[in-house]
Amino acid sequence: MNVGVGILGCGQWGANHVRVWSAAGALRAVFDVEPSRAQEAAARAGVLATSSVEELLGRRDIKGVVIATPAATHAELGLRALEAGKDVLIEKPLALTVGDGRKLVELAEAQGSVLMVDHLLNFHPAVQRLRALVERGVLGRVRYLYSHRLNFGRLRTEENALWSFAPHDLALLHSILGDAPSTVACHGGAYVNQAVADVTLMSLTFTSDVRAHVFVSWLHPFKEHRFIVVGDKEMAVFDDTAPWPEKLVRYPHQIDWVDGRIPVAQRAAGIAEPLDEQEPLQLACEHFLRCMETRRQPSTGPASGIAVLEMLDAGDRSLASGGVPVTLHQATSGEAVHPTATVDPGAELGLRTRVWHYSHVMSGARIGRDCVLGQNVFVGAGVQIGDGVKIQNGVSVYEGVELEDDVFCGPSMVFTNVLNPRSLIDRKHEFKPTLVRRGATIGANATIVCGNTIGRNAFVAAGAVVTHDVPGHALIVGSPGRRVGGVCECGEQLSGPELECDVCGRRYEDSASGLVETV
């Protein structure tokens, strides 16, 4: 498929798009409000400089449109491009309001168009490796993340430092955690222009109890771009200003307890992760091109774009109120709870979550948005359940079990909480935690023995008995469960050595700990 692309905006960043799309042989035309700038870019690329947006959008040889214009124009130009029947790649942020972002998403979904936000760092080889470390459990359970995006210069008057710099790191938080924050607090200061904040510090608490902070400023004496993930096993630092061999470093520091009560830090040498030197923008453009060809949703598509807008909007509201925390996702009213169900005081249900006949949610349980609990479902005290989880009839989720976003639990599947239960012996103090990672599926009548982790997008077949950790994207069958293949994120079984899904086109690389999607 020969897909042609047009570019709106040939400024500092648009010029990079012109270079990359021209090298790919896909560029057909460009437009800029400064005709001389468009003519210069077109001459370098050997393509046409159109005289108007309408002319570019009207070209039949252009299937995809890249919008690299000021953020204030993203929503308007995105809508015009979608209405013209084009696939659209928009520079960050998707829009300047959540409402405008939703309009873009709704129109793209109605027309079947590809809509992608250029959350560029998601395509950085260091970030891809960092995401793989998290998915494979190398860092352990993620506890805390923080980022510093600091520099001097490029002062803005249209958007503050939060909207200009933070989208990069908020997109990384969403991608790595697969979670939405429950509360956001933001402090800042406007020192150059009283109407525009030059420095902001955002604190986020996620529904999974992970915490993060994002510090951005264009009034910093030197450039610092660091993103740090702290797990309960190791820590990892992505430093985008470091040379390639040092951009991603793991630190397997440990904490020893002396006499069981005094913590002592034990430092370990950093371990540099090997990386391929590839330009993130080129990888992002290749991803958009592949999505246009296969009609699959981009990894930084509507969900990513809206999630970042919601966090930015909450940060802006908190900033305007002097740092008062803003709650993003509040509990539902009882309208979503069937009259025969019981939700104890102190339990939290996310927006649009439904609890059906004769189910029981105990105090202290936290259930995310858009979940469905079928008939006779039990959720124990303190259980954490993410967004978009579907639990079928007759399932008990005991204390110590955590389900991340988009997990599917089939009818009558079983979670255990102790390894050797006896009715006459109280073993509540021996409960072992079980973690089911984002997107995993557990089939009907399967059993998950406690103390194990089910990897992201793994598929446990009906009736299987899981007695050990399950790698990401693994297909598990039998009793005891054994790995017999791999499964794509879309649910299709992968076959052949190429590890490419025949249905959606996703590609994977294999490792001892499971499959990881390649961009």
Side-chain angles (χ1 to χ4, degrees):
M1 180 179 180
N2 186 19
V3 177
V5 169
I7 296 176
L8 300 178
C10 302
Q12 182 177 12
W13 191 246
N16 289 321
H17 272 286
V18 171
R19 170 180 55 80
V20 170
W21 285 107
S22 176
L27 187 59
R28 301 291 181 266
V30 300
F31 171 80
D32 195 278
V33 292
E34 294 288 343
S36 60
R37 190 158 57 194
Q39 292 288 351
E40 181 181 347
R44 288 197 306 269
V47 298
L48 173 71
T50 64
S51 60
S52 67
V53 173
E54 289 77 15
E55 181 183 351
L56 186 144
L57 296 180
R59 291 179 63 97
R60 292 188 176 182
D61 59 343
I62 291 177
K63 174 60 178 174
V65 173
V66 176
I67 298 176
T69 56
T73 66
H74 288 181
E76 177 197 355
L77 292 176
L79 289 171
R80 290 169 67 180
L82 289 169
E83 288 168 351
K86 310 299 184 184
D87 294 326
V88 178
L89 168 59
I90 299 183
E91 278 305 314
K92 60 82 186 170
L94 176 62
L96 287 184
T97 69
V98 176
D100 283 345
R102 293 195 185 282
K103 289 178 183 177
L104 287 165
V105 170
E106 290 168 2
L107 181 57
E109 290 177 347
Q111 298 192 164
S113 299
V114 173
L115 177 62
M116 173 174 163
V117 189
D118 191 13
H119 289 149
L120 189 65
L121 287 184
N122 281 278
F123 299 92
H124 196 295
V127 171
Q128 294 180 39
R129 177 70 66 175
L130 176 60
R131 189 184 301 116
L133 292 175
V134 172
E135 291 183 358
R136 293 169 180 167
V138 174
L139 306 183
R141 186 170 298 190
V142 174
R143 297 300 191 188
Y144 179 60
L145 306 93
Y146 59 98
S147 69
H148 291 177
R149 187 163 299 277
L150 315 168
N151 207 346
F152 181 72
R154 292 289 328 265
L155 309 179
R156 271 72 162 183
T157 58
E158 296 172 339
E159 75 234 37
N160 59 27
L162 176 70
W163 281 83
S164 182
F165 284 3
H168 294 293
D169 303 288
L170 297 178
L172 291 190
L173 290 175
H174 180 262
S175 172
I176 289 174
L177 294 176
D179 194 8
S182 54
T183 60
V184 172
C186 188
H187 296 80
Y191 306 106
V192 176
N193 181 338
Q194 291 187 356
V196 178
D198 311 296
V199 179
T200 66
L201 176 62
M202 177 188 284
S203 298
L204 308 98
T205 301
F206 287 80
T207 55
S208 56
D209 279 341
V210 175
R211 296 178 182 270
H213 85 237
V214 176
F215 179 31
V216 298
S217 171
W218 55 52
L219 288 181
H220 198 72
F222 53 87
K223 186 175 183 179
E224 181 181 351
H225 289 176
R226 288 183 180 175
F227 188 90
I228 299 172
V229 180
V230 178
D232 58 10
K233 292 181 181 178
E234 296 187 9
M235 307 173 185
V237 179
F238 166 41
D239 186 347
D240 202 17
T241 64
W244 273 96
E246 303 168 17
K247 282 190 182 294
L248 182 61
V249 179
R250 287 191 291 117
Y251 292 91
H253 299 327
Q254 297 293 321
I255 297 175
D256 293 336
W257 289 85
V258 179
D259 297 330
R261 57 188 180 84
I262 302 174
V264 177
Q266 300 292 342
R267 295 181 179 273
I271 303 170
E273 286 288 316
L275 302 172
D276 295 329
E277 291 191 33
Q278 294 178 285
E279 183 182 10
L281 180 60
Q282 180 182 344
L283 295 174
C285 293
E286 290 174 353
H287 184 67
F288 181 56
L289 187 64
R290 198 154 57 241
C291 289
M292 285 194 290
E293 292 173 339
T294 62
R295 311 313 298 167
R296 62 174 282 192
Q297 280 297 323
S299 60
T300 58
S304 176
I306 293 298
V308 170
L309 283 184
E310 288 181 338
M311 287 185 271
L312 289 169
D313 175 70
D316 234 6
R317 286 186 281 145
S318 176
L319 185 65
S321 66
V324 175
V326 172
T327 300
L328 272 74
H329 308 299
Q330 299 178 351
T332 59
S333 67
E335 294 175 352
V337 178
H338 193 269
T340 62
T342 301
V343 177
D344 291 343
E348 297 182 20
L349 303 183
L351 293 168
R352 298 178 299 276
T353 285
R354 290 166 288 168
V355 181
W356 290 109
H357 307 67
Y358 303 106
S359 291
H360 182 190
V361 181
M362 293 190 68
S363 179
R366 295 178 61 185
I367 302 175
R369 299 173 296 169
D370 301 303
C371 296
V372 179
L373 277 61
Q375 298 182 33
N376 295 300
V377 169
F378 170 78
V379 178
V383 167
Q384 306 291 307
I385 295 177
D387 298 335
V389 172
K390 293 180 174 59
I391 304 176
Q392 300 286 286
N393 299 349
V395 175
S396 293
V397 186
Y398 296 113
E399 182 179 349
V401 175
E402 179 179 346
L403 308 180
E404 293 187 345
D405 293 350
D406 302 317
V407 167
F408 179 90
C409 297
S412 301
M413 60 80 45
V414 175
F415 290 107
T416 72
N417 50 18
V418 294
L419 292 176
N420 54 344
R422 290 291 197 191
S423 180
L424 74 163
I425 301 175
D426 185 352
R427 287 199 163 115
K428 290 182 179 179
H429 64 286
E430 297 180 10
F431 284 178
K432 293 185 177 297
T434 298
L435 175 62
V436 183
R437 304 298 301 273
R438 177 162 59 92
T441 293
I442 304 173
N445 298 300
T447 298
I448 310 299
V449 176
C450 60
N452 295 306
T453 295
I454 310 299
R456 290 192 181 189
N457 298 304
F459 198 108
V460 178
V465 178
V466 172
T467 59
H468 54 272
D469 288 347
V470 173
H473 293 275
L475 174 60
I476 303 296
V477 303
S479 177
R482 64 189 186 281
R483 181 181 176 182
V484 296
V487 179
C488 179
E489 181 176 338
C490 72
E492 294 294 324
Q493 187 171 355
L494 300 170
S495 60
E498 66 278 1
L499 295 176
E500 181 173 350
C501 180
D502 295 334
V503 175
C504 71
R506 286 181 172 86
R507 300 169 185 168
Y508 298 86
E509 61 180 6
D510 201 359
S511 72
S513 56
L515 304 183
V516 177
E517 183 179 1
T518 58
V519 177

